[in-house]
Amino acid sequence: MKKEFRILFSLIMVFGVLSCNVDRLPETSISDPAFWQNENDLKSAANYLYTFLPGLPETGDVWSDDAFGTSANSISDGTRITPSSDGYYRAQYRLIRAANNIIEKADLVADRGGDINQINIYVAEAKFFRAWGYFNLFRRYGGVPLILKPLNIEDEELNMGQASREEVVAQIYSDLDSAVLDLKSPGTIKAEDYGRISKTAALAFKSRVALFEGTRSKFHGYGDAQKHLMIAKTAAKEVMDSGEHDIFPNYFNLFQYEGEGRQNKENILVRQYGKNLEESISYHVAQRNLETGAANPTRGLATSYLMTDGLPISKSPLYEKPTNTVEVFNNRDPRMGATFFKEGDEYIGTQPVFNIPAISFQKTGFANRRYANLNDWQVSRSYIDRTLIRYAEVLLNYAEATYELDESISDEDLNISVNILRDRESVSMPHLTNSLVDNNGLEMREEIRRERRVELALEGFRYWDLIRWKTAEIELPKTILGNYFFDEFGTEVVPEVTSDNLIILQKAENRHFDPARDYLWPFPVNQIALNPSLEQNPGW
């Protein structure tokens, strides 16, 4: 299924090595105008864009309150400083430049007799990736220079200032709307092209962008929040109504080989890896990184999981304070046990069956189970694809946008969104309803946010959710806690604990968040030096 696309990926990697000092693919080895002869040249150039999709391991949740590494994180605790340079910033503009080049050169290929339908598809892919790059910049920096054509060293646009937030997000919408017109639906993409951008991928991503800006606008008090929230809801509903996607029955297997390929209709966009040792084009070592403590789940995340009666631990009569690591998982949402290692789980070659977290590096007393696979551990490489957009997120986007538009949501809308996730075969949790909320002193907004937190746990969403909800200033300065320090952890490593025997990772007194500064990232110093029109974000 992946054979042809993986062969193409290997060619991409060769081109990538050649192009390490430039911003676009074809010009590295041959004259740029001579490269664009037919639609296959466009495809080769479009393939390069896929190398910019983020890989594994995913450790971005250490920026938030959901994970803690082997030491404190400067983004999470507010101690970072303005960087002298930033490879991430430059990488996004390399992606944008490569996409711009494809869009510009498409007419040249058409003039040379290329298949216009195929040309339009690769241009649509380029527009998707241009939107992807600009959203990555937009989330961090707000307004950024908006460059929509390949630039030469003498072009004045190299010194242009930031566009406004509204201008950047409007361009992202425009690119995604244009892409939707020419991209194929997932069901019509050939098996050998599995992994290419689809129509529903563009719509799902549009719902992500619009929900981000809609809620950020609403809670930070600027712009037209209702407009963006409606865009988010409408885009999500288009994906839901397409009939192309469904929920995969087993939550743990979403992040295993069983969840790969076309049979998993929940996956909308993935970062693909090689197939096996014999076809080892690219691989990752996510499990080894996570096993040694790169992103350990925190107590904050752990306490978010509901009890099996559908109530939080603070409300449920089922909750009893645990006396060991096994009891932590008693009567909890099954997604917790699929996300955290627990006693009896298949583990690693030197310890085939998991017992308790190793406090020396799994410092929170919880262990991250994402992408764990014993066979992959044995060969020190994994080919499990990374899910970047999945249908569960679309359903959550729909529910949140619907609620935030009117600050209410019907049981009917909950049933076509949140409750589909709770009905997952391996989950089977009670439905979220208005009566459940009203009868138990809960708040619907918080329950929708809770569902998002546990469903998308450790996938890199939490930090950006805190940013857009304007709750980072509340949540990030809090003390970061881990599990109870049970006797079974032993005394080889004895962490500091609270009066209630909870592991302390970092105290509140050492954590800071400046609302006037930290909701935007600083532009790298070298970029401001290169472009005098680029204005540093406030407070940096």
Side-chain angles (χ1 to χ4, degrees):
M1 186 178 298
K2 299 180 180 179
K3 185 175 181 181
E4 179 178 327
F5 198 59
R6 294 201 190 284
I7 291 171
L8 288 169
F9 188 82
S10 67
L11 295 175
I12 294 167
M13 297 309 292
V14 172
F15 277 120
V17 170
L18 291 172
S19 63
C20 61
N21 292 316
V22 296
D23 290 338
R24 48 184 165 172
L25 170 68
E27 295 178 332
T28 61
S29 55
I30 56 178
S31 172
D32 191 48
F35 177 83
W36 309 94
Q37 297 295 319
N38 54 54
E39 62 271 18
N40 287 329
D41 295 332
L42 274 180
K43 184 175 186 179
S44 294
N47 288 343
Y48 174 60
L49 305 178
Y50 287 82
T51 68
F52 288 86
L53 291 174
L56 288 167
E58 168 53 59
T59 59
D61 281 290
V62 298
W63 298 348
S64 76
D65 55 348
D66 272 3
F68 192 89
T70 54
S71 61
N73 179 271
S74 64
I75 296 171
S76 178
D77 68 18
T79 60
R80 61 179 162 161
I81 60 175
T82 303
S84 59
S85 61
D86 185 346
Y88 185 89
Y89 182 90
R90 184 172 181 270
Q92 302 316 305
Y93 276 108
R94 286 209 317 272
L95 170 60
I96 291 164
R97 181 181 176 88
N100 284 341
N101 207 22
I102 291 170
I103 295 165
E104 181 179 87
K105 297 304 191 301
D107 288 342
L108 185 59
V109 177
D111 291 342
R112 289 171 173 170
D115 183 330
I116 192 64
N117 292 322
Q118 287 300 312
I119 291 170
N120 288 342
I121 289 173
Y122 301 130
V123 169
E125 289 185 8
K127 289 183 177 180
F128 174 91
F129 278 105
R130 184 164 69 181
W132 183 274
Y134 271 119
F135 181 61
N136 288 338
L137 292 167
F138 180 72
R139 282 195 307 186
R140 290 192 178 203
Y141 307 106
V144 293
L146 200 55
I147 300 169
L148 303 177
K149 67 177 184 179
L151 298 181
N152 296 311
I153 196 167
E154 68 276 4
D155 287 338
E156 293 182 359
E157 289 92 338
L158 285 172
N159 292 318
M160 69 192 314
Q162 292 102 312
S164 67
R165 292 189 69 93
E166 195 61 31
E167 288 170 330
V168 176
V169 78
Q171 182 60 47
I172 293 171
Y173 291 155
S174 176
D175 277 344
L176 293 174
D177 288 342
S178 178
V180 165
L181 297 176
D182 291 308
L183 289 168
K184 293 184 177 181
S185 297
T188 63
I189 293 176
K190 296 178 182 178
E192 60 267 25
D193 282 335
Y194 171 76
R196 301 200 79 90
I197 304 300
S198 68
K199 188 183 297 288
T200 52
L203 287 167
F205 184 55
K206 185 180 180 183
S207 79
R208 178 187 293 182
V209 174
L211 183 66
F212 179 86
E213 187 61 1
T215 50
R216 197 182 192 284
S217 174
K218 178 174 182 175
F219 296 112
H220 288 254
Y222 65 85
D224 189 345
Q226 294 294 100
K227 179 184 77 172
H228 297 295
L229 289 168
M230 183 56 71
I231 290 172
K233 179 179 179 177
T234 301
K237 192 62 163 61
E238 285 189 67
V239 179
M240 294 160 67
D241 290 343
S242 72
E244 294 280 352
H245 298 286
D246 201 354
I247 293 301
F248 193 68
N250 188 289
Y251 184 77
F252 175 73
N253 284 344
L254 276 170
F255 311 100
Q256 297 292 310
Y257 291 108
E258 292 86 344
E260 288 197 343
R262 295 169 70 94
Q263 81 282 358
N264 180 359
K265 293 185 178 298
E266 182 166 346
N267 283 346
I268 297 178
L269 177 64
V270 300
R271 164 67 185 263
Q272 292 192 87
Y273 286 92
K275 186 175 182 181
N276 50 44
L277 282 171
E278 289 71 39
E279 198 177 322
S280 183
I281 296 163
S282 65
Y283 63 89
H284 61 84
V285 289
Q287 182 178 357
R288 294 254 180 180
N289 280 271
L290 298 176
E291 169 207 339
T292 54
N296 304 300
T298 63
R299 175 171 171 79
L301 176 58
T303 57
S304 296
Y305 289 88
L306 297 169
M307 304 301 291
T308 51
D309 58 5
L311 296 176
I313 62 173
S314 61
K315 300 277 187 178
S316 173
L318 296 178
Y319 180 73
E320 296 180 359
K321 183 178 177 179
T323 62
N324 56 51
T325 56
V326 173
E327 292 178 0
V328 169
F329 298 94
N330 285 355
N331 299 313
R332 303 297 289 277
D333 182 333
R335 286 173 291 190
M336 184 179 182
T339 305
F340 295 43
F341 270 111
K342 59 192 180 303
E343 184 178 18
D345 288 335
E346 186 177 84
Y347 192 37
I348 59 178
T350 55
Q351 185 185 331
V353 179
F354 189 81
N355 183 13
I356 60 172
I359 293 292
S360 58
F361 45 85
Q362 292 160 341
K363 292 181 179 292
T364 64
F366 294 115
N368 188 335
R369 199 181 174 201
R370 279 286 186 265
Y371 297 97
N373 184 286
L374 180 58
N375 292 331
D376 288 350
W377 191 95
Q378 302 276 29
V379 297
S380 298
R381 58 184 62 190
S382 178
Y383 306 101
I384 300 173
D385 293 343
R386 176 181 178 181
T387 300
L388 296 171
I389 304 177
R390 58 187 176 96
Y391 188 50
E393 181 199 346
V394 173
L395 298 180
L396 291 164
N397 292 350
Y398 177 82
E400 187 177 346
T402 299
Y403 178 83
E404 294 299 347
L405 277 165
D406 300 311
E407 301 203 353
S408 66
I409 185 170
S410 67
D411 285 349
E412 289 76 14
D413 277 325
L414 288 169
N415 286 338
I416 63 172
S417 55
V418 168
N419 291 328
I420 290 178
L421 303 180
R422 296 192 176 192
D423 285 338
R424 192 191 298 269
E425 186 177 308
S426 68
V427 176
S428 298
M429 285 289 289
H431 280 192
L432 176 61
T433 64
N434 280 280
S435 61
L436 178 79
V437 168
D438 294 341
N439 294 339
N440 291 281
L442 304 175
E443 295 182 11
M444 182 61 77
R445 173 181 285 142
E446 294 309 308
E447 294 312 303
I448 290 173
R449 290 180 178 183
R450 180 200 304 276
E451 191 72 18
R452 181 179 182 88
R453 187 177 188 179
V454 302
E455 174 66 31
L456 303 178
L458 304 178
E459 294 180 55
F461 288 90
R462 176 67 174 172
Y463 171 80
W464 297 112
D465 288 343
L466 297 178
I467 293 296
R468 64 189 178 87
W469 295 332
K470 207 176 184 296
T471 55
E473 62 200 71
I474 299 170
E475 302 299 334
L476 292 186
K478 292 179 180 178
T479 296
I480 299 294
L481 298 173
N483 202 353
Y484 290 99
F485 186 61
F486 300 112
D487 290 342
E488 61 194 297
F489 285 129
T491 58
E492 184 177 346
V493 178
V494 180
E496 185 176 3
V497 297
T498 66
S499 58
D500 201 26
N501 206 35
L502 291 167
I503 296 170
I504 298 174
L505 283 310
Q506 191 176 25
K507 293 182 177 179
E509 63 196 60
N510 297 318
R511 297 178 60 81
H512 313 278
F513 188 92
D514 182 355
R517 184 193 73 169
D518 292 334
Y519 280 110
L520 291 174
W521 287 42
F523 287 105
V525 171
N526 69 331
Q527 294 299 327
I528 294 176
L530 288 168
N531 179 6
S533 299
L534 193 62
E535 296 182 11
Q536 184 58 278
N537 276 322
W540 292 101

